[in-house]
Amino acid sequence: GAVVSQHPSRVICKSGTSVKIECRSLDFQATTMFWYRQFPKKSLMLMATSNEGSKATYEQGVEKDKFLINHASLTLSTLTVTSAHPEDSSFYICSAGSSGSSYNEQFFGPGTRLTVL
Amino acid sequence: AQKVTQAQTEISVVEKEDVTLDCVYETRDTTYYLFWYKQPPSGELVFLIRRNSFDEQNEISGRYSWNFQKSTSSFNFTITASQVVDSAVYFCALSGWNTGNQFYFGTGTSLTVIP
């Protein structure tokens, strides 16, 4: 299957700093990328959907100024957590949908564990 | 509305027992896709199966089998002769044709296989 990478896999930062997480589709072009957040022992919560070259669509309750999403190319989307606070600590997972897929497939990255001190 | 329900929050079985994980879904789409993912402690989602709404054939892959019943809107997952390595959280997900690639995940079932 298609490969999606995330970087970094783990990050620890101080409160008030900003953290950028990269999501890359390695062997296919992703017209759509999704960002999820997962709290411990909870399900994946969709944060936003980003389409290449356009603004991301955020789910209700997700602060767009807090979680900046950029999808500048067909292989890269970034999520920036601005002025991070301890409550932003979570597991963030991205996924990418292939433009050539007819099966509504999403390929998931390995996740990024963010800890804000 | 799209919704996936996994009523079993946690299941514990003894090694070599069979276990079935339940998944019930709701959708208004006539074309849709159902998925199962495994999430081990490392956190990475491991794709297990995709099934489209027009294919009600049950599937078997090694110790894994899936039972898709449109009449009851269920897509259950059975692990035969469970092993310790099967311990993980399992998610069922739904993607509707009219909602593009957007996935709707169930709340997950945490499976513990006791040696």
Side-chain angles (χ1 to χ4, degrees):
Chain A
V3 178
V4 174
S5 70
Q6 269 184 255
H7 178 79
S9 58
R10 191 179 289 267
V11 57
I12 301 172
C13 69
K14 292 183 178 179
S15 188
T17 60
S18 294
V19 175
K20 180 185 281 189
I21 303 170
E22 291 186 348
C23 177
R24 292 182 185 272
S25 57
L26 298 184
D27 51 1
F28 68 101
Q29 293 185 327
T31 49
T32 307
M33 286 186 169
F34 302 85
W35 287 95
Y36 296 85
R37 182 174 183 175
Q38 187 180 29
F39 290 103
K41 298 191 177 183
K42 296 293 183 184
S43 187
L44 281 74
M45 180 192 79
L46 179 65
M47 299 174 66
T49 302
S50 76
N51 292 296
E52 185 265 339
S54 61
K55 289 184 178 180
T57 302
Y58 289 81
E59 295 298 302
Q60 194 171 10
V62 178
E63 299 176 61
K64 63 177 74 174
D65 294 331
K66 173 82 174 169
F67 299 100
L68 300 178
I69 291 172
N70 184 281
H71 191 166
S73 77
L74 286 171
T75 59
L76 173 65
S77 177
T78 59
L79 166 67
T80 301
V81 183
T82 62
S83 187
H85 288 96
E87 57 266 29
D88 299 324
S89 298
S90 195
F91 192 57
Y92 292 88
I93 304 173
C94 74
S95 70
S98 170
S99 58
S101 172
S102 59
Y103 296 114
N104 278 32
E105 281 188 282
Q106 282 189 33
F107 303 98
F108 288 86
T112 296
R113 196 165 300 281
L114 170 64
T115 303
V116 185
L117 302 176
Chain B
Q2 319 277 9
K3 185 180 178 182
V4 175
T5 301
Q6 293 180 256
Q8 304 150 308
T9 306
E10 296 182 359
I11 299 177
S12 291
V13 298
V14 177
E15 201 170 20
K16 296 185 182 176
E17 285 185 349
D18 299 346
V19 58
T20 295
L21 310 182
D22 298 333
C23 173
V24 174
Y25 63 91
E26 295 176 31
T27 180
R28 290 181 182 166
D29 289 345
T30 54
T31 301
Y32 53 89
Y33 302 89
L34 296 164
F35 303 80
W36 274 96
Y37 289 86
K38 174 182 180 180
Q39 188 178 42
S42 65
E44 183 165 1
L45 285 174
V46 178
F47 169 80
L48 296 178
I49 190 171
R50 175 191 62 243
R51 175 67 72 212
N52 75 55
S53 51
F54 297 109
D55 183 1
E56 284 194 74
Q57 271 194 325
N58 293 327
E59 181 156 338
I60 297 174
S61 176
R63 295 185 296 108
Y64 296 169
S65 62
W66 291 269
N67 185 326
F68 178 25
Q69 300 265 348
K70 281 181 80 170
S71 60
T72 56
S73 297
S74 65
F75 187 43
N76 296 338
F77 172 32
T78 297
I79 301 175
T80 304
S82 60
Q83 299 176 1
V84 173
V85 293
D86 295 327
S87 296
V89 179
Y90 291 85
F91 290 99
C92 180
L94 164 72
S95 178
W97 180 257
N98 290 323
T99 54
N101 295 79
Q102 187 167 339
F103 273 34
Y104 298 84
F105 282 90
T107 49
T109 298
S110 177
L111 173 66
T112 301
V113 180
I114 303 165

PDB file of all heavy atoms in Angstrom, chain A residues 47-85:
ATOM      1  N   MET A  47      -9.834  16.551  12.903  1.00  0.00           N
ATOM      2  CA  MET A  47      -9.654  17.971  13.196  1.00  0.00           C
ATOM      3  C   MET A  47      -9.963  18.814  11.965  1.00  0.00           C
ATOM      4  O   MET A  47     -10.648  19.834  12.045  1.00  0.00           O
ATOM      5  CB  MET A  47      -8.226  18.249  13.630  1.00  0.00           C
ATOM      6  CG  MET A  47      -7.794  17.530  14.891  1.00  0.00           C
ATOM      7  SD  MET A  47      -6.059  17.788  15.225  1.00  0.00           S
ATOM      8  CE  MET A  47      -6.024  19.540  15.562  1.00  0.00           C
ATOM      9  N   ALA A  48      -9.394  18.385  10.832  1.00  0.00           N
ATOM     10  CA  ALA A  48      -9.535  19.203   9.634  1.00  0.00           C
ATOM     11  C   ALA A  48      -9.230  18.380   8.395  1.00  0.00           C
ATOM     12  O   ALA A  48      -8.539  17.359   8.465  1.00  0.00           O
ATOM     13  CB  ALA A  48      -8.607  20.408   9.705  1.00  0.00           C
ATOM     14  N   THR A  49      -9.756  18.869   7.299  1.00  0.00           N
ATOM     15  CA  THR A  49      -9.506  18.286   5.985  1.00  0.00           C
ATOM     16  C   THR A  49      -8.815  19.341   5.140  1.00  0.00           C
ATOM     17  O   THR A  49      -9.278  20.489   5.081  1.00  0.00           O
ATOM     18  CB  THR A  49     -10.824  17.892   5.316  1.00  0.00           C
ATOM     19  OG1 THR A  49     -11.519  16.974   6.161  1.00  0.00           O
ATOM     20  CG2 THR A  49     -10.570  17.260   3.955  1.00  0.00           C
ATOM     21  N   SER A  50      -7.722  18.980   4.532  1.00  0.00           N
ATOM     22  CA  SER A  50      -7.031  19.952   3.703  1.00  0.00           C
ATOM     23  C   SER A  50      -6.898  19.450   2.281  1.00  0.00           C
ATOM     24  O   SER A  50      -6.575  18.286   2.054  1.00  0.00           O
ATOM     25  CB  SER A  50      -5.653  20.295   4.274  1.00  0.00           C
ATOM     26  OG  SER A  50      -4.711  19.279   4.050  1.00  0.00           O
ATOM     27  N   ASN A  51      -7.188  20.328   1.361  1.00  0.00           N
ATOM     28  CA  ASN A  51      -7.023  20.040  -0.050  1.00  0.00           C
ATOM     29  C   ASN A  51      -5.890  20.880  -0.596  1.00  0.00           C
ATOM     30  O   ASN A  51      -5.756  22.054  -0.244  1.00  0.00           O
ATOM     31  CB  ASN A  51      -8.311  20.345  -0.814  1.00  0.00           C
ATOM     32  CG  ASN A  51      -9.427  19.395  -0.439  1.00  0.00           C
ATOM     33  OD1 ASN A  51      -9.339  18.198  -0.677  1.00  0.00           O
ATOM     34  ND2 ASN A  51     -10.469  19.909   0.166  1.00  0.00           N
ATOM     35  N   GLU A  52      -5.093  20.275  -1.434  1.00  0.00           N
ATOM     36  CA  GLU A  52      -3.914  20.939  -1.959  1.00  0.00           C
ATOM     37  C   GLU A  52      -4.277  22.258  -2.612  1.00  0.00           C
ATOM     38  O   GLU A  52      -5.181  22.315  -3.445  1.00  0.00           O
ATOM     39  CB  GLU A  52      -3.199  20.008  -2.946  1.00  0.00           C
ATOM     40  CG  GLU A  52      -1.892  20.550  -3.480  1.00  0.00           C
ATOM     41  CD  GLU A  52      -2.045  21.255  -4.807  1.00  0.00           C
ATOM     42  OE1 GLU A  52      -3.046  20.995  -5.501  1.00  0.00           O
ATOM     43  OE2 GLU A  52      -1.173  22.052  -5.150  1.00  0.00           O
ATOM     44  N   GLY A  53      -3.584  23.314  -2.181  1.00  0.00           N
ATOM     45  CA  GLY A  53      -3.777  24.615  -2.778  1.00  0.00           C
ATOM     46  C   GLY A  53      -4.952  25.415  -2.270  1.00  0.00           C
ATOM     47  O   GLY A  53      -5.191  26.525  -2.748  1.00  0.00           O
ATOM     48  N   SER A  54      -5.684  24.888  -1.320  1.00  0.00           N
ATOM     49  CA  SER A  54      -6.817  25.657  -0.788  1.00  0.00           C
ATOM     50  C   SER A  54      -6.810  25.612   0.735  1.00  0.00           C
ATOM     51  O   SER A  54      -6.056  24.860   1.335  1.00  0.00           O
ATOM     52  CB  SER A  54      -8.143  25.130  -1.338  1.00  0.00           C
ATOM     53  OG  SER A  54      -8.333  23.794  -0.955  1.00  0.00           O
ATOM     54  N   LYS A  55      -7.671  26.411   1.320  1.00  0.00           N
ATOM     55  CA  LYS A  55      -7.714  26.473   2.786  1.00  0.00           C
ATOM     56  C   LYS A  55      -8.302  25.196   3.360  1.00  0.00           C
ATOM     57  O   LYS A  55      -9.184  24.576   2.756  1.00  0.00           O
ATOM     58  CB  LYS A  55      -8.572  27.659   3.236  1.00  0.00           C
ATOM     59  CG  LYS A  55      -7.933  29.012   2.988  1.00  0.00           C
ATOM     60  CD  LYS A  55      -8.796  30.117   3.558  1.00  0.00           C
ATOM     61  CE  LYS A  55      -8.147  31.475   3.357  1.00  0.00           C
ATOM     62  NZ  LYS A  55      -8.975  32.574   3.895  1.00  0.00           N
ATOM     63  N   ALA A  56      -7.847  24.873   4.535  1.00  0.00           N
ATOM     64  CA  ALA A  56      -8.350  23.674   5.195  1.00  0.00           C
ATOM     65  C   ALA A  56      -9.757  23.896   5.725  1.00  0.00           C
ATOM     66  O   ALA A  56     -10.154  25.019   6.044  1.00  0.00           O
ATOM     67  CB  ALA A  56      -7.419  23.292   6.349  1.00  0.00           C
ATOM     68  N   THR A  57     -10.497  22.825   5.786  1.00  0.00           N
ATOM     69  CA  THR A  57     -11.836  22.856   6.378  1.00  0.00           C
ATOM     70  C   THR A  57     -11.756  22.254   7.759  1.00  0.00           C
ATOM     71  O   THR A  57     -11.396  21.078   7.917  1.00  0.00           O
ATOM     72  CB  THR A  57     -12.824  22.036   5.522  1.00  0.00           C
ATOM     73  OG1 THR A  57     -12.840  22.555   4.200  1.00  0.00           O
ATOM     74  CG2 THR A  57     -14.219  22.106   6.124  1.00  0.00           C
ATOM     75  N   TYR A  58     -12.092  23.042   8.762  1.00  0.00           N
ATOM     76  CA  TYR A  58     -11.956  22.600  10.142  1.00  0.00           C
ATOM     77  C   TYR A  58     -13.279  22.062  10.672  1.00  0.00           C
ATOM     78  O   TYR A  58     -14.355  22.564  10.340  1.00  0.00           O
ATOM     79  CB  TYR A  58     -11.497  23.770  11.026  1.00  0.00           C
ATOM     80  CG  TYR A  58     -10.068  24.181  10.778  1.00  0.00           C
ATOM     81  CD1 TYR A  58      -9.743  25.009   9.706  1.00  0.00           C
ATOM     82  CD2 TYR A  58      -9.042  23.728  11.602  1.00  0.00           C
ATOM     83  CE1 TYR A  58      -8.433  25.378   9.465  1.00  0.00           C
ATOM     84  CE2 TYR A  58      -7.729  24.093  11.374  1.00  0.00           C
ATOM     85  CZ  TYR A  58      -7.425  24.925  10.301  1.00  0.00           C
ATOM     86  OH  TYR A  58      -6.135  25.278  10.067  1.00  0.00           O
ATOM     87  N   GLU A  59     -13.168  21.054  11.511  1.00  0.00           N
ATOM     88  CA  GLU A  59     -14.357  20.509  12.162  1.00  0.00           C
ATOM     89  C   GLU A  59     -14.810  21.459  13.273  1.00  0.00           C
ATOM     90  O   GLU A  59     -14.026  22.263  13.784  1.00  0.00           O
ATOM     91  CB  GLU A  59     -14.063  19.132  12.747  1.00  0.00           C
ATOM     92  CG  GLU A  59     -13.738  18.096  11.685  1.00  0.00           C
ATOM     93  CD  GLU A  59     -14.869  17.856  10.725  1.00  0.00           C
ATOM     94  OE1 GLU A  59     -15.985  17.476  11.170  1.00  0.00           O
ATOM     95  OE2 GLU A  59     -14.655  18.047   9.492  1.00  0.00           O
ATOM     96  N   GLN A  60     -16.060  21.337  13.586  1.00  0.00           N
ATOM     97  CA  GLN A  60     -16.628  22.196  14.614  1.00  0.00           C
ATOM     98  C   GLN A  60     -15.876  22.029  15.925  1.00  0.00           C
ATOM     99  O   GLN A  60     -15.591  20.908  16.353  1.00  0.00           O
ATOM    100  CB  GLN A  60     -18.101  21.824  14.819  1.00  0.00           C
ATOM    101  CG  GLN A  60     -18.897  22.847  15.601  1.00  0.00           C
ATOM    102  CD  GLN A  60     -20.395  22.525  15.584  1.00  0.00           C
ATOM    103  OE1 GLN A  60     -20.807  21.460  15.148  1.00  0.00           O
ATOM    104  NE2 GLN A  60     -21.193  23.445  16.054  1.00  0.00           N
ATOM    105  N   GLY A  61     -15.543  23.150  16.535  1.00  0.00           N
ATOM    106  CA  GLY A  61     -14.854  23.119  17.816  1.00  0.00           C
ATOM    107  C   GLY A  61     -13.347  23.131  17.711  1.00  0.00           C
ATOM    108  O   GLY A  61     -12.663  23.248  18.737  1.00  0.00           O
ATOM    109  N   VAL A  62     -12.811  23.030  16.516  1.00  0.00           N
ATOM    110  CA  VAL A  62     -11.364  23.064  16.332  1.00  0.00           C
ATOM    111  C   VAL A  62     -10.949  24.485  15.961  1.00  0.00           C
ATOM    112  O   VAL A  62     -11.463  25.057  15.005  1.00  0.00           O
ATOM    113  CB  VAL A  62     -10.907  22.087  15.226  1.00  0.00           C
ATOM    114  CG1 VAL A  62      -9.400  22.182  15.020  1.00  0.00           C
ATOM    115  CG2 VAL A  62     -11.324  20.671  15.576  1.00  0.00           C
ATOM    116  N   GLU A  63     -10.038  25.045  16.752  1.00  0.00           N
ATOM    117  CA  GLU A  63      -9.640  26.437  16.518  1.00  0.00           C
ATOM    118  C   GLU A  63      -8.664  26.535  15.350  1.00  0.00           C
ATOM    119  O   GLU A  63      -7.530  26.044  15.439  1.00  0.00           O
ATOM    120  CB  GLU A  63      -8.957  26.989  17.776  1.00  0.00           C
ATOM    121  CG  GLU A  63      -9.826  26.996  19.024  1.00  0.00           C
ATOM    122  CD  GLU A  63      -9.016  27.455  20.221  1.00  0.00           C
ATOM    123  OE1 GLU A  63      -8.515  28.594  20.197  1.00  0.00           O
ATOM    124  OE2 GLU A  63      -8.866  26.663  21.177  1.00  0.00           O
ATOM    125  N   LYS A  64      -9.061  27.192  14.303  1.00  0.00           N
ATOM    126  CA  LYS A  64      -8.203  27.278  13.118  1.00  0.00           C
ATOM    127  C   LYS A  64      -6.974  28.137  13.368  1.00  0.00           C
ATOM    128  O   LYS A  64      -5.936  27.941  12.732  1.00  0.00           O
ATOM    129  CB  LYS A  64      -9.012  27.799  11.927  1.00  0.00           C
ATOM    130  CG  LYS A  64      -9.566  29.192  12.090  1.00  0.00           C
ATOM    131  CD  LYS A  64     -10.290  29.655  10.828  1.00  0.00           C
ATOM    132  CE  LYS A  64     -11.628  28.976  10.677  1.00  0.00           C
ATOM    133  NZ  LYS A  64     -12.421  29.514   9.534  1.00  0.00           N
ATOM    134  N   ASP A  65      -7.065  29.083  14.283  1.00  0.00           N
ATOM    135  CA  ASP A  65      -5.900  29.920  14.568  1.00  0.00           C
ATOM    136  C   ASP A  65      -4.912  29.209  15.487  1.00  0.00           C
ATOM    137  O   ASP A  65      -3.754  29.601  15.593  1.00  0.00           O
ATOM    138  CB  ASP A  65      -6.346  31.230  15.234  1.00  0.00           C
ATOM    139  CG  ASP A  65      -7.176  32.085  14.295  1.00  0.00           C
ATOM    140  OD1 ASP A  65      -6.952  31.988  13.073  1.00  0.00           O
ATOM    141  OD2 ASP A  65      -8.056  32.810  14.776  1.00  0.00           O
ATOM    142  N   LYS A  66      -5.388  28.190  16.132  1.00  0.00           N
ATOM    143  CA  LYS A  66      -4.559  27.411  17.041  1.00  0.00           C
ATOM    144  C   LYS A  66      -3.848  26.293  16.277  1.00  0.00           C
ATOM    145  O   LYS A  66      -2.687  26.009  16.497  1.00  0.00           O
ATOM    146  CB  LYS A  66      -5.450  26.795  18.110  1.00  0.00           C
ATOM    147  CG  LYS A  66      -4.779  25.820  19.048  1.00  0.00           C
ATOM    148  CD  LYS A  66      -4.078  26.561  20.120  1.00  0.00           C
ATOM    149  CE  LYS A  66      -3.520  25.616  21.151  1.00  0.00           C
ATOM    150  NZ  LYS A  66      -2.615  26.338  22.055  1.00  0.00           N
ATOM    151  N   PHE A  67      -4.556  25.692  15.381  1.00  0.00           N
ATOM    152  CA  PHE A  67      -4.031  24.571  14.605  1.00  0.00           C
ATOM    153  C   PHE A  67      -3.986  24.993  13.135  1.00  0.00           C
ATOM    154  O   PHE A  67      -4.965  24.864  12.406  1.00  0.00           O
ATOM    155  CB  PHE A  67      -4.917  23.334  14.785  1.00  0.00           C
ATOM    156  CG  PHE A  67      -5.001  22.854  16.207  1.00  0.00           C
ATOM    157  CD1 PHE A  67      -6.100  23.172  17.007  1.00  0.00           C
ATOM    158  CD2 PHE A  67      -3.984  22.085  16.753  1.00  0.00           C
ATOM    159  CE1 PHE A  67      -6.173  22.725  18.321  1.00  0.00           C
ATOM    160  CE2 PHE A  67      -4.062  21.634  18.062  1.00  0.00           C
ATOM    161  CZ  PHE A  67      -5.153  21.962  18.854  1.00  0.00           C
ATOM    162  N   LEU A  68      -2.813  25.484  12.736  1.00  0.00           N
ATOM    163  CA  LEU A  68      -2.651  25.982  11.375  1.00  0.00           C
ATOM    164  C   LEU A  68      -2.281  24.844  10.442  1.00  0.00           C
ATOM    165  O   LEU A  68      -1.330  24.108  10.703  1.00  0.00           O
ATOM    166  CB  LEU A  68      -1.559  27.053  11.331  1.00  0.00           C
ATOM    167  CG  LEU A  68      -1.799  28.296  12.198  1.00  0.00           C
ATOM    168  CD1 LEU A  68      -0.620  29.241  12.094  1.00  0.00           C
ATOM    169  CD2 LEU A  68      -3.085  28.997  11.807  1.00  0.00           C
ATOM    170  N   ILE A  69      -3.027  24.705   9.379  1.00  0.00           N
ATOM    171  CA  ILE A  69      -2.784  23.630   8.423  1.00  0.00           C
ATOM    172  C   ILE A  69      -2.447  24.227   7.073  1.00  0.00           C
ATOM    173  O   ILE A  69      -3.150  25.107   6.578  1.00  0.00           O
ATOM    174  CB  ILE A  69      -3.998  22.700   8.326  1.00  0.00           C
ATOM    175  CG1 ILE A  69      -4.147  21.922   9.634  1.00  0.00           C
ATOM    176  CG2 ILE A  69      -3.856  21.738   7.150  1.00  0.00           C
ATOM    177  CD1 ILE A  69      -5.416  21.123   9.730  1.00  0.00           C
ATOM    178  N   ASN A  70      -1.371  23.693   6.503  1.00  0.00           N
ATOM    179  CA  ASN A  70      -0.945  24.118   5.180  1.00  0.00           C
ATOM    180  C   ASN A  70      -0.751  22.899   4.296  1.00  0.00           C
ATOM    181  O   ASN A  70      -0.112  21.932   4.702  1.00  0.00           O
ATOM    182  CB  ASN A  70       0.371  24.910   5.292  1.00  0.00           C
ATOM    183  CG  ASN A  70       0.812  25.453   3.952  1.00  0.00           C
ATOM    184  OD1 ASN A  70       1.364  24.744   3.131  1.00  0.00           O
ATOM    185  ND2 ASN A  70       0.543  26.718   3.731  1.00  0.00           N
ATOM    186  N   HIS A  71      -1.303  22.948   3.120  1.00  0.00           N
ATOM    187  CA  HIS A  71      -1.187  21.819   2.180  1.00  0.00           C
ATOM    188  C   HIS A  71      -0.668  22.384   0.877  1.00  0.00           C
ATOM    189  O   HIS A  71      -1.397  22.531  -0.094  1.00  0.00           O
ATOM    190  CB  HIS A  71      -2.571  21.177   2.020  1.00  0.00           C
ATOM    191  CG  HIS A  71      -2.555  19.856   1.304  1.00  0.00           C
ATOM    192  ND1 HIS A  71      -3.641  19.006   1.319  1.00  0.00           N
ATOM    193  CD2 HIS A  71      -1.605  19.230   0.567  1.00  0.00           C
ATOM    194  CE1 HIS A  71      -3.357  17.922   0.620  1.00  0.00           C
ATOM    195  NE2 HIS A  71      -2.139  18.035   0.159  1.00  0.00           N
ATOM    196  N   ALA A  72       0.621  22.696   0.891  1.00  0.00           N
ATOM    197  CA  ALA A  72       1.205  23.465  -0.200  1.00  0.00           C
ATOM    198  C   ALA A  72       1.506  22.636  -1.445  1.00  0.00           C
ATOM    199  O   ALA A  72       1.630  23.183  -2.534  1.00  0.00           O
ATOM    200  CB  ALA A  72       2.482  24.141   0.284  1.00  0.00           C
ATOM    201  N   SER A  73       1.628  21.343  -1.278  1.00  0.00           N
ATOM    202  CA  SER A  73       1.922  20.503  -2.438  1.00  0.00           C
ATOM    203  C   SER A  73       1.138  19.207  -2.331  1.00  0.00           C
ATOM    204  O   SER A  73       0.513  18.927  -1.312  1.00  0.00           O
ATOM    205  CB  SER A  73       3.411  20.204  -2.520  1.00  0.00           C
ATOM    206  OG  SER A  73       3.781  19.208  -1.577  1.00  0.00           O
ATOM    207  N   LEU A  74       1.197  18.424  -3.387  1.00  0.00           N
ATOM    208  CA  LEU A  74       0.439  17.170  -3.408  1.00  0.00           C
ATOM    209  C   LEU A  74       1.068  16.073  -2.561  1.00  0.00           C
ATOM    210  O   LEU A  74       0.526  14.975  -2.469  1.00  0.00           O
ATOM    211  CB  LEU A  74       0.292  16.676  -4.852  1.00  0.00           C
ATOM    212  CG  LEU A  74      -0.717  17.453  -5.697  1.00  0.00           C
ATOM    213  CD1 LEU A  74      -0.621  17.016  -7.156  1.00  0.00           C
ATOM    214  CD2 LEU A  74      -2.134  17.247  -5.182  1.00  0.00           C
ATOM    215  N   THR A  75       2.208  16.379  -1.968  1.00  0.00           N
ATOM    216  CA  THR A  75       2.852  15.358  -1.138  1.00  0.00           C
ATOM    217  C   THR A  75       3.140  15.825   0.277  1.00  0.00           C
ATOM    218  O   THR A  75       3.711  15.078   1.070  1.00  0.00           O
ATOM    219  CB  THR A  75       4.174  14.893  -1.775  1.00  0.00           C
ATOM    220  OG1 THR A  75       5.042  16.027  -1.921  1.00  0.00           O
ATOM    221  CG2 THR A  75       3.940  14.250  -3.130  1.00  0.00           C
ATOM    222  N   LEU A  76       2.764  17.046   0.611  1.00  0.00           N
ATOM    223  CA  LEU A  76       3.115  17.562   1.924  1.00  0.00           C
ATOM    224  C   LEU A  76       2.007  18.409   2.527  1.00  0.00           C
ATOM    225  O   LEU A  76       1.480  19.315   1.900  1.00  0.00           O
ATOM    226  CB  LEU A  76       4.392  18.407   1.843  1.00  0.00           C
ATOM    227  CG  LEU A  76       4.802  19.157   3.127  1.00  0.00           C
ATOM    228  CD1 LEU A  76       5.161  18.167   4.227  1.00  0.00           C
ATOM    229  CD2 LEU A  76       5.963  20.092   2.835  1.00  0.00           C
ATOM    230  N   SER A  77       1.662  18.076   3.754  1.00  0.00           N
ATOM    231  CA  SER A  77       0.766  18.911   4.547  1.00  0.00           C
ATOM    232  C   SER A  77       1.417  19.112   5.906  1.00  0.00           C
ATOM    233  O   SER A  77       2.077  18.203   6.420  1.00  0.00           O
ATOM    234  CB  SER A  77      -0.602  18.248   4.724  1.00  0.00           C
ATOM    235  OG  SER A  77      -1.446  19.030   5.564  1.00  0.00           O
ATOM    236  N   THR A  78       1.254  20.288   6.467  1.00  0.00           N
ATOM    237  CA  THR A  78       1.822  20.559   7.783  1.00  0.00           C
ATOM    238  C   THR A  78       0.745  21.042   8.745  1.00  0.00           C
ATOM    239  O   THR A  78      -0.186  21.743   8.351  1.00  0.00           O
ATOM    240  CB  THR A  78       2.944  21.615   7.726  1.00  0.00           C
ATOM    241  OG1 THR A  78       2.405  22.830   7.188  1.00  0.00           O
ATOM    242  CG2 THR A  78       4.094  21.138   6.868  1.00  0.00           C
ATOM    243  N   LEU A  79       0.908  20.618   9.980  1.00  0.00           N
ATOM    244  CA  LEU A  79       0.034  21.075  11.068  1.00  0.00           C
ATOM    245  C   LEU A  79       0.923  21.797  12.066  1.00  0.00           C
ATOM    246  O   LEU A  79       1.894  21.225  12.565  1.00  0.00           O
ATOM    247  CB  LEU A  79      -0.642  19.891  11.752  1.00  0.00           C
ATOM    248  CG  LEU A  79      -1.331  20.153  13.100  1.00  0.00           C
ATOM    249  CD1 LEU A  79      -2.534  21.064  12.921  1.00  0.00           C
ATOM    250  CD2 LEU A  79      -1.760  18.836  13.756  1.00  0.00           C
ATOM    251  N   THR A  80       0.623  23.056  12.321  1.00  0.00           N
ATOM    252  CA  THR A  80       1.377  23.826  13.303  1.00  0.00           C
ATOM    253  C   THR A  80       0.483  24.106  14.503  1.00  0.00           C
ATOM    254  O   THR A  80      -0.575  24.724  14.350  1.00  0.00           O
ATOM    255  CB  THR A  80       1.891  25.150  12.714  1.00  0.00           C
ATOM    256  OG1 THR A  80       2.724  24.869  11.588  1.00  0.00           O
ATOM    257  CG2 THR A  80       2.711  25.915  13.749  1.00  0.00           C
ATOM    258  N   VAL A  81       0.928  23.639  15.651  1.00  0.00           N
ATOM    259  CA  VAL A  81       0.214  23.927  16.902  1.00  0.00           C
ATOM    260  C   VAL A  81       0.837  25.195  17.451  1.00  0.00           C
ATOM    261  O   VAL A  81       2.004  25.199  17.861  1.00  0.00           O
ATOM    262  CB  VAL A  81       0.343  22.766  17.896  1.00  0.00           C
ATOM    263  CG1 VAL A  81      -0.475  23.055  19.155  1.00  0.00           C
ATOM    264  CG2 VAL A  81      -0.113  21.460  17.264  1.00  0.00           C
ATOM    265  N   THR A  82       0.100  26.264  17.419  1.00  0.00           N
ATOM    266  CA  THR A  82       0.648  27.552  17.842  1.00  0.00           C
ATOM    267  C   THR A  82       0.437  27.768  19.335  1.00  0.00           C
ATOM    268  O   THR A  82      -0.585  27.381  19.896  1.00  0.00           O
ATOM    269  CB  THR A  82      -0.002  28.701  17.069  1.00  0.00           C
ATOM    270  OG1 THR A  82      -1.407  28.716  17.352  1.00  0.00           O
ATOM    271  CG2 THR A  82       0.199  28.537  15.576  1.00  0.00           C
ATOM    272  N   SER A  83       1.446  28.374  19.965  1.00  0.00           N
ATOM    273  CA  SER A  83       1.391  28.674  21.400  1.00  0.00           C
ATOM    274  C   SER A  83       0.817  27.477  22.164  1.00  0.00           C
ATOM    275  O   SER A  83      -0.234  27.559  22.796  1.00  0.00           O
ATOM    276  CB  SER A  83       0.514  29.913  21.636  1.00  0.00           C
ATOM    277  OG  SER A  83       0.575  30.317  22.995  1.00  0.00           O
ATOM    278  N   ALA A  84       1.535  26.393  22.050  1.00  0.00           N
ATOM    279  CA  ALA A  84       1.050  25.133  22.630  1.00  0.00           C
ATOM    280  C   ALA A  84       0.934  25.209  24.146  1.00  0.00           C
ATOM    281  O   ALA A  84       1.741  25.861  24.823  1.00  0.00           O
ATOM    282  CB  ALA A  84       1.978  23.994  22.230  1.00  0.00           C
ATOM    283  N   HIS A  85      -0.072  24.534  24.672  1.00  0.00           N
ATOM    284  CA  HIS A  85      -0.284  24.432  26.110  1.00  0.00           C
ATOM    285  C   HIS A  85      -0.435  22.962  26.480  1.00  0.00           C
ATOM    286  O   HIS A  85      -0.685  22.121  25.603  1.00  0.00           O
ATOM    287  CB  HIS A  85      -1.517  25.239  26.520  1.00  0.00           C
ATOM    288  CG  HIS A  85      -1.299  26.712  26.461  1.00  0.00           C
ATOM    289  ND1 HIS A  85      -1.670  27.474  25.368  1.00  0.00           N
ATOM    290  CD2 HIS A  85      -0.709  27.564  27.329  1.00  0.00           C
ATOM    291  CE1 HIS A  85      -1.327  28.731  25.580  1.00  0.00           C
ATOM    292  NE2 HIS A  85      -0.741  28.812  26.750  1.00  0.00           N
TER     293      HIS A  85
END
